[in-house]
Structures are given as structure tokens and as C-alpha cells.
């Protein structure tokens, strides 16, 4: 304490001093500082400062205590961590040693196995070496034997060569003697012999060829007739006759006035939209649609049917209905083409070719429906191809497409066969199909076996009785001319053209014409008809000579 005395201190001041002294860590400094403040300052100030000092002392003490505690805890944690790390290290080292021992054991085991395998292989190699050495010894022994045999053969070969030379000398001497006796060399004799054999072979070959050709002609003629007849019999579809006029029936004549319209505007609009001439005359309950294009006539008929059924008939409505019907007819054409291909079993056609096939339904050739004709030709070609051992599917395809040039709007100046061939080439048909289409009227050279089949099938279908229609006047005139040609011969009493002009029956008098004359007469009439008339297909001339004995019983 030194110079500081407690004589004049009160009880409270002594208590403050003791408390302050105990709470301060730096006791001596705070002690002297407290005495100094006490003597120099007032009581209130001392109390405040005492409180502040107490708070500061508590804070410093708390900080110091915490620091010591935390330091001890930290040291303890570090010790624990170091101890735990040492334990983990020892454990890992122990595990590593165990793993190392395990791997070492496995490696030693693997090395032992490999050493055993190597030992086994070495043993096998040693055994093989022994075997090989033994074989080499045997081979050396055999080689020595072979050398001996070879020496022996060489000796014998030298003897044979000497004998061969002697033989050649003797053979040459014999040939020279034979040549001197025959008066010609061996080469000349050989050439003469070869020429003689060639001549004999040619003679025999020509004889054989002539026999085969004669037999082939007879067989081919019979076979061709059989195939054509069987084909015609097996393919007999109905024929369809197309006209240039379609009759549209109506329920009453009152509808005619509505169709004509005020001052004929409705009928003019209908004719302009369809391209069909509409004839409204005194024919009861009927209107005539006249056009050479069956598609246009069908469009006009369907449009009239819808207009009459609906009841609204005026130019705007007519144009609307015609456009709708044209679209429907295009869909129907496509559907017809697809259905035809399905019926005939033809696949893979281009969509444009299918459309052309559907348009054939509304085209005709000499009154024969073109689609029906093409289907018939396809079946005929397939039948003949099967008989001849050709591909029936390709023949059917060519027969169906042979007339597509007739329904195309491209290059109308070209012949329809050439145009059809170009269309087939355009849509990637095979070359033999294209050639068959283009050559079915012999306008180009036939390069495929299918081409004559299509030509014959087209002729058979077109020449079928009743298949095609001619103008009635020319048809009647042709039949009359045919009958008059036969009547111009003496002895002919009656003539009849039957089967649509395919057959002419000639009846002669038995008193005027003999049997031999009747046979000659049929040939002469046929020749005259062939020279003077034009007709489809062929005409059969039948001369009938009969003797009738008539008597009456009374």
C-alpha cells in the first residue's frame, strides 16, 4: 500500500475498494488508481467510476477466464484429434499391411500357377521336339531311299529316251514309206480327211435341220392355233357400245322450261360449262346430250341430275354444280383405275398411269369401250404368255397399258402407240413393256417377246364379232357389196352375210355347179373379196351345194 492510508475511509469506501481490488486482475495498478481517484474526486464520481471499473473488471475477467477455458478446450480437442488421427493412421497402416499381404499371397499364387503352366508347356514342347527329331530321322532315312529310287528312275529314263529316239526314227521311216506309196504327205492326207468329215457333218446337219424345221413348222402352226383358240375361249368379256348421244330422262316437260331458262340463259351456261350440246326438242320427257367426248357427256348428265333434283337452276348455280361434278368425276376416274389394277393383279403403277387407265372408261374406239378392250387385251396376253412359258404378269401389264396414248392430252399429233410408249418411259416402266406398247401397231421394231403378244391380243379383241361398231350406212353397204360379189358368179342362187360380216354363205344350184367347182368357187370369191374390199378381221366363205328331191303325196 505504501503511502496510502485507510485512517479516514468510511465503511462503504472500504467495501468498494475491496470489491474493486478482487475483480481487477492488475491489482496493484487499480489499487493505487482507486486511492488516487478517491482522494482527488467526489463520492458520486467515485461510485460511478467504481461501477464502471466493476463492469470492466467483470468483462476483462470473463474474457480472460473464457480465453483460458477455450485455450484449454482447444488444447484438449487438438490432443483428442491427434490421438484419434494416430489411431486412424495405425488402423489404416494395419489394413494396408493386410491388403499387401493378401495381394502378395494372390500374386505368389498366380506366379505359381503360371510357372506350372509354363512347366507343362515346356514339357509338351520337349515331347514334340522328341517326336520331331524322330520324324526327321525317319524323313532322312526315307530321303535316302528316295534318292536311291530317283537314281534308278533316271537310269531307266535314259534307257526309255534312247528307245524313244529309236522309235521316232522308225516312225519317220514308216511315214516316209507310206507317203511314197500314197503319193501325198501326211499333212495333205490329214487335211483331206478333215475336209471329208466336215462335208459329211454338214450334210447330216442340214438334213437334221430341215427335218427339225419341217416338224417345227407343223407343230408351231398347230400350237399357235391352239393357243389363240384357247385364249379367245377363255377370255370372253361383254362388249360395250358407246354412242355420241346420251338421253337424260325427266319427269315432266315443265322442267324443260326451267332448264332452258329466261331467254335460254340456263342452257347456254350449261353448254358453256360442260362443252356439250343440249338438245331440247319435242321428245317427251327426254333431253339429248350430244358430244363425242363421253367424259363431257357424263359431266353434263350428272350436273343436270343434281340441278333438277335440287330445283335451283340459274347460271351461278350451274357453274358451281359443274365444277363439283367434275371434281367428283376425277375422283371416280382415279378409283376406277385403282380398282382395275387390283382386279387384274397389277401393282406398282405410277399414279398418272392409274389416272389414264381410269379415263379409259369414258373413251371408245369404233364403239368399243376402251377400258373393257384394254382389260380384255391384258387377259388375252396373260393367257398366251402362260401358254408360251413367258411372264404372264408383264404381259398383262403391257396389254392393259397398250392404248393409254388414246386418253392422253400430250402431243396429240403423235400416233397413239408411240405416245403411249413415251408416257410409259416417262413413268419408269420397263423397256420390254414400253416396246410392247409402241410396237402393237408395228410402227417401231419389236425388240421384246411381249410385243407380238400385245399385237395379237389387240387384234383378237378388236376383231371379236360385235366388239366394235361402225356407222350403220357403211356397215350395211359393206355387207351388200359382199353379197353382190358372190352373186356375180354363175350358178350362185342366194348369198347371206352373217355374224356381222365375219362369214358369207353362198348357196349354188346343184345342176349348174359340181362339187369340184364349188370348192374352186369358194377360193375365187375369197380372193376377190380380199382384193376389192376393206374389212376388219377375216371373212369365212362357205359354199353350200345340195340336191333336193321333192315329191307330193296326193
Amino acid at each position: 500500500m505504501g503511502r496510502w492510508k485507510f485512517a479516514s475511509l468510511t465503511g462503504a469506501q472500504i467495501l468498494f475498494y475491496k470489491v474493486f481490488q478482487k475483480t481487477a486482475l492488475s491489482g496493484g495498478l487499480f489499487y493505487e488508481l482507486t486511492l488516487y481517484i478517491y482522494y482527488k474526486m467526489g463520492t458520486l464520481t467515485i461510485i460511478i467510476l467504481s461501477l464502471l471499473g466493476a463492469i470492466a473488471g467483470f468483462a476483462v475477467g470473463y474474457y480472460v477466464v473464457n480465453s483460458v477455458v477455450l485455450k484449454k478446450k482447444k488444447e484438449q480437442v487438438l490432443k483428442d484429434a491427434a490421438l484419434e488421427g494416430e489411431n486412424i493412421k495405425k488402423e489404416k497402416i494395419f489394413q494396408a499391411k493386410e491388403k499387401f499381404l493378401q495381394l502378395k499371397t494372390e500374386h505368389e499364387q498366380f506366379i505359381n500357377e503360371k510357372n506350372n503352366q509354363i512347366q507343362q508347356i515346356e514339357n509338351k514342347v520337349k515331347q514334340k521336339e522328341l517326336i520331331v527329331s524322330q520324324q526327321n530321322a525317319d524323313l532322312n532315312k526315307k530321303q535316302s531311299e528316295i534318292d536311291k529310287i530317283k537314281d534308278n528312275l533316271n537310269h531307266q529314263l535314259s534307257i526309255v529316251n534312247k528307245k524313244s529316239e529309236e522309235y521316232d526314227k522308225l516312225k519317220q521311216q514308216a511315214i516316209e514309206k507310206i507317203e511314197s506309196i500314197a503319193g501325198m504327205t501326211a499333212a495333205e492326207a490329214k487335211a483331206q480327211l478333215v475336209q471329208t468329215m466336215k462335208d459329211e457333218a454338214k450334210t447330216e446337219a442340214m438334213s437334221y435341220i430341215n427335218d427339225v424345221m419341217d416338224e417345227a413348222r407343223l407343230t408351231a402352226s398347230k400350237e399357235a392355233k391352239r393357243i389363240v383358240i384357247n385364249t379367245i375361249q377363255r377370255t370372253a368379256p361383254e362388249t360395250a357400245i358407246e354412242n355420241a348421244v346420251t338421253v337424260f330422262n325427266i319427269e315432266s316437260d315443265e322442267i324443260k322450261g326451267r332448264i332452258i331458262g329466261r331467254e335460254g340463259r340456263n342452257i347456254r351456261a350449261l353448254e358453256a360449262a360442260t362443252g356439250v350440246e343440249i338438245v331440247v326438242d319435242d321428245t317427251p320427257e327426254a333431253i339429248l346430250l350430244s358430244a363425242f367426248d363421253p367424259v363431257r357427256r357424263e359431266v353434263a348428265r350428272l350436273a343436270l341430275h343434281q340441278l333438277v333434283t335440287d330445283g335451283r337452276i340459274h347460271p351461278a348455280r350451274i357453274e358451281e354444280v359443274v365444277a363439283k361434278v367434275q371434281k367428283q368425276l376425277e375422283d371416280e376416274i382415279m378409283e376406277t383405275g385403282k380398282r382395275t389394277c387390283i382386279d387384274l393383279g397389277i401393282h406398282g403403277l405410277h399414279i398418272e398411269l392409274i389416272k389414264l387407265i381410269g379415263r379409259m372408261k369414258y373413251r371408245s374406239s369404233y364403239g368399243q369401250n376402251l377400258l373393257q378392250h384394254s382389260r380384255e387385251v391384258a387377259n388375252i396376253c396373260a393367257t398366251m404368255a402362260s401358254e408360251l412359258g413367258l411372264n404372264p404378269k408383264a404381259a398383262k401389264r403391257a396389254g392393259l397399258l397398250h392404248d393409254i396414248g388414246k386418253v392422253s392430252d400430250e402431243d396429240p399429233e403423235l400416233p397413239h402407240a408411240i405416245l403411249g410408249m413415251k408416257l410409259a418411259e416417262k413413268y419408269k416402266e420397263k423397256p420390254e413393256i414400253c416396246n410392247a406398247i409402241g410396237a402393237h401397231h408395228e410402227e417401231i421394231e419389236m425388240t421384246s417377246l411381249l410385243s407380238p403378244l400385245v399385237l395379237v391380243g389387240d387384234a383378237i379383241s378388236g376383231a371379236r364379232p360385235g366388239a366394235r361398231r361402225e356407222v350403220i350406212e357403211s356397215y350395211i353397204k359393206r355387207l351388200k357389196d359382199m353379197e353382190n360379189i358372190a352373186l356375180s358368179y354363175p350358178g350362185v342362187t342366194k348369198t347371206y352375210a352373217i355374224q356381222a360380216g365375219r362369214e358369207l354363205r353362198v348357196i349354188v344350184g346343184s345342176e349348174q355347179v359340181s362339187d369340184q367347182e364349188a370348192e374352186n368357187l369358194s377360193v375365187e370369191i375369197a380372193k376377190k373379196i380380199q382384193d376389192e374390199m376393206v374389212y376388219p378381221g377375216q371373212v369365212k366363205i362357205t359354199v353350200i351345194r345340195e340336191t333336193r328331191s321333192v315329191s307330193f303325196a296326193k
Side-chain angles (χ1 to χ4, degrees), residues 411-437:
D411 296 329
E413 296 180 358
L414 288 175
H416 76 274
I418 304 299
L419 180 56
M421 180 184 68
K422 291 184 177 296
L423 289 171
E425 291 174 348
K426 178 180 178 182
Y427 298 120
K428 310 300 182 184
E429 287 296 317
K430 293 182 179 179
E432 57 267 23
I433 303 294
C434 299
N435 181 259
I437 295 172

Side-chain angles (χ1 to χ4, degrees), residues 177-414:
K177 289 181 180 179
I178 292 172
E179 287 178 351
S180 62
I181 295 171
M184 64 176 66
T185 64
E188 293 175 350
K190 184 179 179 180
Q192 185 176 358
L193 179 61
V194 170
Q195 186 63 34
T196 303
M197 294 179 66
K198 285 183 178 178
D199 294 339
E200 291 179 357
K202 286 182 179 179
T203 303
E204 293 179 1
M206 290 300 296
S207 177
Y208 177 74
I209 290 172
N210 291 333
D211 294 341
V212 171
M213 290 296 292
D214 293 338
E215 183 180 358
R217 288 191 187 97
L218 295 174
T219 306
S221 178
K222 293 179 181 179
E223 186 67 15
K225 290 179 181 179
R226 183 188 68 80
I227 291 173
V228 172
I229 291 172
N230 289 341
T231 302
I232 295 174
Q233 290 176 348
R234 291 168 59 182
T235 309
E238 298 179 357
T239 57
I241 303 299
E242 299 288 342
N243 298 316
V245 176
T246 298
V247 178
F248 180 73
N249 297 314
I250 56 178
E251 295 180 356
S252 64
D253 291 340
E254 296 179 0
I255 301 177
K256 290 183 179 180
R258 297 175 60 189
I259 293 174
I260 294 172
R262 183 178 299 177
E263 298 177 356
R265 63 178 185 175
N266 290 346
I267 196 170
R268 286 197 300 272
L270 191 57
E271 288 179 345
T274 60
V276 174
E277 182 182 0
I278 300 175
V279 180
V280 182
D281 54 12
D282 295 336
T283 305
E285 298 182 355
I287 295 175
L288 300 181
L289 308 176
S290 178
F292 288 101
D293 189 343
V295 177
R296 294 180 183 177
R297 294 204 310 271
E298 184 67 12
V299 170
R301 187 187 69 81
L302 295 175
L304 268 178
H305 177 72
Q306 290 193 16
L307 290 169
V308 171
T309 303
D310 185 49
R312 294 177 295 167
I313 306 176
H314 53 81
R317 176 65 177 165
I318 288 172
E319 293 178 357
E320 178 186 351
V321 171
V322 169
K324 182 178 178 182
V325 168
Q326 287 176 343
K327 180 63 172 60
Q328 292 176 353
L329 196 60
E330 290 178 0
D331 295 340
E332 183 179 350
I333 286 173
M334 180 60 69
E335 184 63 26
T336 301
K338 292 180 180 179
R339 187 166 57 252
T340 301
C341 294
I342 292 172
D343 292 343
L344 294 177
I346 296 175
H347 307 285
L349 281 178
H350 194 276
I351 190 69
E352 293 297 329
L353 292 179
I354 295 176
K355 188 182 297 183
L356 291 175
I357 292 171
R359 293 183 66 181
M360 289 182 183
K361 178 181 178 182
Y362 302 98
R363 292 291 186 275
S364 60
S365 177
Y366 297 99
Q368 185 181 23
N369 182 268
L370 192 58
L371 179 59
Q372 191 66 35
H373 166 66
S374 298
R375 291 174 64 114
E376 185 177 1
V377 172
N379 290 323
I380 289 172
C381 292
T383 303
M384 290 192 294
S386 299
E387 293 286 342
L388 296 172
L390 301 177
N391 186 355
K393 291 186 178 180
K396 185 180 292 186
R397 194 184 192 97
L400 179 63
L401 298 175
H402 81 284
D403 269 348
I404 57 173
K406 291 184 177 180
V407 294
S408 175
D409 297 330
E410 300 179 7
D411 296 329
E413 296 180 358
L414 288 175

Side-chain angles (χ1 to χ4, degrees), residues 395-519:
K396 185 180 292 186
R397 194 184 192 97
L400 179 63
L401 298 175
H402 81 284
D403 269 348
I404 57 173
K406 291 184 177 180
V407 294
S408 175
D409 297 330
E410 300 179 7
D411 296 329
E413 296 180 358
L414 288 175
H416 76 274
I418 304 299
L419 180 56
M421 180 184 68
K422 291 184 177 296
L423 289 171
E425 291 174 348
K426 178 180 178 182
Y427 298 120
K428 310 300 182 184
E429 287 296 317
K430 293 182 179 179
E432 57 267 23
I433 303 294
C434 299
N435 181 259
I437 295 172
H440 79 274
H441 284 314
E442 297 183 291
E443 292 169 330
I444 63 172
E445 182 182 359
M446 296 183 181
T447 60
S448 169
L449 292 176
L450 298 179
S451 301
L453 292 184
V454 176
L455 185 149
V456 173
D458 182 53
I460 292 173
S461 176
R464 186 188 298 281
R468 295 189 172 182
R469 174 181 56 82
E470 298 175 282
V471 180
I472 188 64
E473 291 82 2
S474 62
Y475 171 73
I476 294 174
K477 183 177 181 302
R478 179 166 61 84
L479 298 185
K480 288 290 185 183
D481 292 341
M482 192 180 297
E483 292 178 351
N484 291 333
I485 288 174
L487 283 172
S488 63
Y489 286 88
V492 177
T493 58
K494 294 179 181 179
T495 58
Y496 301 99
I498 62 175
Q499 294 185 5
R502 298 292 190 272
E503 182 177 356
L504 179 64
R505 291 190 177 180
V506 181
I507 300 176
V508 298
S510 59
E511 299 85 5
Q512 301 175 0
V513 180
S514 64
D515 290 338
Q516 184 63 37
E517 291 174 345
E519 182 177 355

